[in-house]
Amino acid sequence: MTTPVPDGNAYAADIRREQCRLLFDHLPFVLIGSLVSASGVGAIFWNIRPHGTVVGWMAAIYLLCAIRWWVRRRFIALGSTFEPDRWIRIATAQTLTAGCLWGLLGILFFGDEPIVMMTLVIVLGGMTAGAVSSHSCHVPAYAAYAIPTVLPFALRCLVEGSQFHAVVAALSLTFLMVNINYGKNLQRMLLETLELRFRNADLVKALRHQKDVAERASLAKTRFLAAASHDLRQPVQAIELFVDVLSQELQNRPQASMLGRIRAAGRGLESLLNALLDFSRIDAASITPDIHSFPLQPLLDSLKNTFAAQAEVKGLELHIHPTRLLVRSDPNLLERILRNFVANALKYTPTGRVVVGCRRQGPQLRIDVIDTGVGIPESAHQQVFNEFFQLDNPERDREKGLGLGLFIANGLADLLGHRIAIDSRVGHGARFSVEVERGQLADLRANESALADQGMALQGKAILIIDDDPDIRTGLAEMLERWECATTTAESAEEALELIQISGFMPDAILADYRLRHDTTGTQAIADIRARWGPIPAAILTGDTDPMRIREARASGLPLLHKPLSAAKLRAALSHLLAQNPPA
């Protein structure tokens, strides 16, 4: 007899090994049952049959159990290096020997006494039935045990020739066939289960591999975006600083209009970089909102100034309803949310208009961006907030954006605790809304007072700039000097320490780029300077968008300022830094 594993089954070898392992795994229970049953038989027949016959048969059972236990230990010692076909043959030979010994019971101890017949029927039937579960993993092994166990007793009954013995023989043979067939069914189910288990294991392995590939691809994407963003942010930051310096020089001059065009031309690149930065900062969970009350109208005016030209080029009407209401949020982050809403509305509105308005809802204010565009199917209302999802851009046309705007808006809204809603149908335009807490006048006045103090906070302060980009150093220095700050610049911690030592310049605050030359960081540079000159207030500048690097920078406990940084943001950050960490 052979195990019915289909030819060509990809898991045939694995199933065969598992069948072999199960035969030896079940053996302890088989041996315990054999020893207990043999002892019971010996006790019953001790005064019925010759003592020598009883002792000899029991000794053979005990010896075989010991041999089978020793063989099992040899098998276990092999670990996973066993040959399944060889060990299955060994196990089958052992079950055949055990079956023959139990079959001898039906011949050596046969008799007409009621207690003898009852004992033989119960013991031989019980041993045959009990072996089904332990040997059904390999039907030939079970048959090798069951047939020699039952057949001698059945034949001995037939030899007696009486009707009673004929019925017992027939019942015994029927019982044997039923158990063998039952064992076949159990084996079939077991083999199917084993094959399914191995298939599932391969599927899990394949899924893990795909997950690893996807994670590596995502990491590569993030690193690429981070590297590209960092390299682009350096010159963009320098341009921003130089434009801010020139704007003061060219006030009320004809060249000021050209400077305005230069600033406007850089907004597209800055917008893309900000999208990449927001994406990475959300991924790194590194944004700390600055929530306070402020009037909403200046923010709406900024939206109009940003998108009016774009709307005009497309022939769309951009209408922003004025408001005198205050809101409580982070103005920069809230503006990012609304900018993404408006940009998305203009992108998907071929004709008609885009309207921005507010509606009171108790203590909340709902800010709506409504368009007359193509609309969004209800099935995609949640998908539009997924990263890189775009409804009508299968060719990934860069002019249609990256598919990050609504994802970033949703992430920033979650960070601020604002609720975002969408209401849209195909062909009927869309309304994107964000609910914001209404602001308080007392909170506004306190914030305005703090801003008013910023102008005085920087006068006469000494600022140390550490950056490996000479344009950044120059731009920052010129900006700070126009605020009546004393500045000195260095490209490394070593140079900064040397300058302080030689010139006696003791900074009130330090601005250090995160990524410096020779695989050093701004946090290391600040730590080196502080170790020599004490706890000087400091902040990190970075153009990185790699979430890992952002988390590393945040872990230093230093304030993190992201490039490109406008003059207003730089001034506010420095003032806040000096106010929170006054120099010793």
Side-chain angles (χ1 to χ4, degrees), residues 410-428:
N410 189 53
L412 294 177
D414 286 343
L415 181 67
L416 294 169
H418 301 337
R419 191 176 76 89
I420 279 182
I422 176 177
D423 183 13
S424 178
R425 288 186 300 160
V426 175
H428 292 79

Side-chain angles (χ1 to χ4, degrees), residues 85-386:
D85 290 337
R86 174 174 178 266
W87 284 94
I88 284 178
R89 288 194 298 270
I90 292 174
T92 302
Q94 290 180 336
T95 60
L96 175 62
T97 305
C100 290
L101 287 179
W102 283 100
L104 281 175
L105 180 67
I107 297 176
L108 296 176
F109 297 163
F110 189 85
D112 289 332
E113 302 96 321
I115 190 172
V116 171
M117 289 298 294
M118 182 177 65
T119 300
L120 292 177
V121 168
I122 292 175
V123 171
L124 296 179
M127 295 299 292
T128 304
V132 174
S133 60
S134 57
H135 294 79
S136 62
C137 58
H138 185 62
V139 169
Y142 174 70
Y145 175 81
I147 292 174
T149 296
V150 175
L151 189 59
F153 173 71
L155 294 176
R156 183 66 180 81
C157 287
L158 291 175
V159 170
E160 289 295 312
S162 68
Q163 183 178 0
F164 170 75
H165 288 95
V167 170
V168 171
L171 291 175
S172 298
L173 293 174
T174 302
F175 181 74
L176 174 63
M177 298 306 297
V178 168
N179 277 279
I180 291 176
N181 187 65
Y182 180 54
K184 289 182 178 179
N185 290 334
L186 288 179
Q187 178 184 258
R188 177 178 53 79
M189 290 187 290
L190 174 65
L191 297 184
E192 290 174 355
T193 301
L194 290 175
E195 182 177 356
L196 181 61
R197 191 181 82 185
F198 291 128
R199 288 186 185 277
N200 287 341
D202 283 350
L203 179 60
V204 170
K205 184 178 180 181
L207 290 175
R208 285 177 178 170
H209 176 71
Q210 292 178 3
K211 180 175 178 289
D212 291 342
V213 170
E215 288 178 348
R216 288 196 296 268
S218 178
L219 182 60
K221 173 202 69 178
T222 301
R223 287 176 174 172
F224 169 76
L225 293 177
S229 178
H230 178 271
D231 292 342
L232 288 171
R233 282 179 183 279
Q234 296 295 93
V236 171
Q237 176 67 87
I239 292 172
E240 179 82 25
L241 293 171
F242 290 138
V243 167
D244 284 329
V245 172
L246 285 174
S247 65
Q248 299 180 37
E249 292 286 343
L250 299 178
Q251 285 183 356
N252 302 320
R253 295 189 183 183
Q255 294 87 346
S257 60
M258 180 61 68
L259 188 63
R261 294 191 183 97
I262 295 174
R263 190 192 299 273
R267 284 175 181 167
L269 178 58
E270 182 179 353
S271 177
L272 175 59
L273 291 174
N274 285 335
L276 294 175
L277 175 61
D278 288 341
F279 174 72
S280 296
R281 292 172 73 192
I282 291 171
D283 191 27
S286 68
I287 302 176
T288 302
D290 178 17
I291 297 178
H292 56 270
S293 295
F294 61 92
L296 184 59
Q297 188 58 45
L299 190 154
L300 299 181
D301 291 339
S302 176
L303 291 177
K304 186 172 184 178
N305 293 334
T306 300
F307 293 104
Q310 182 179 342
E312 184 178 354
V313 168
K314 291 194 67 175
L316 302 176
E317 177 188 353
L318 175 61
H319 183 69
I320 298 181
H321 290 284
T323 180
R324 297 181 180 179
L325 295 175
L326 305 178
V327 293
R328 179 172 172 78
S329 181
D330 182 310
N332 294 320
L333 300 185
L334 180 59
E335 182 176 359
R336 290 295 302 163
I337 293 173
L338 295 176
R339 282 171 62 91
N340 287 329
F341 283 176
V342 175
N344 194 69
L346 292 174
K347 186 189 307 180
Y348 292 103
T349 303
T351 60
R353 61 178 184 164
V354 174
V355 178
V356 181
C358 308
R359 184 183 297 272
R360 292 185 180 91
Q361 292 187 331
Q364 301 287 317
L365 183 70
R366 193 185 77 196
I367 307 174
D368 296 328
V369 177
I370 305 170
D371 65 65
T372 59
V374 296
I376 301 170
E378 187 174 353
S379 60
H381 280 190
Q382 295 303 317
Q383 289 179 284
V384 295
F385 294 106
N386 295 339

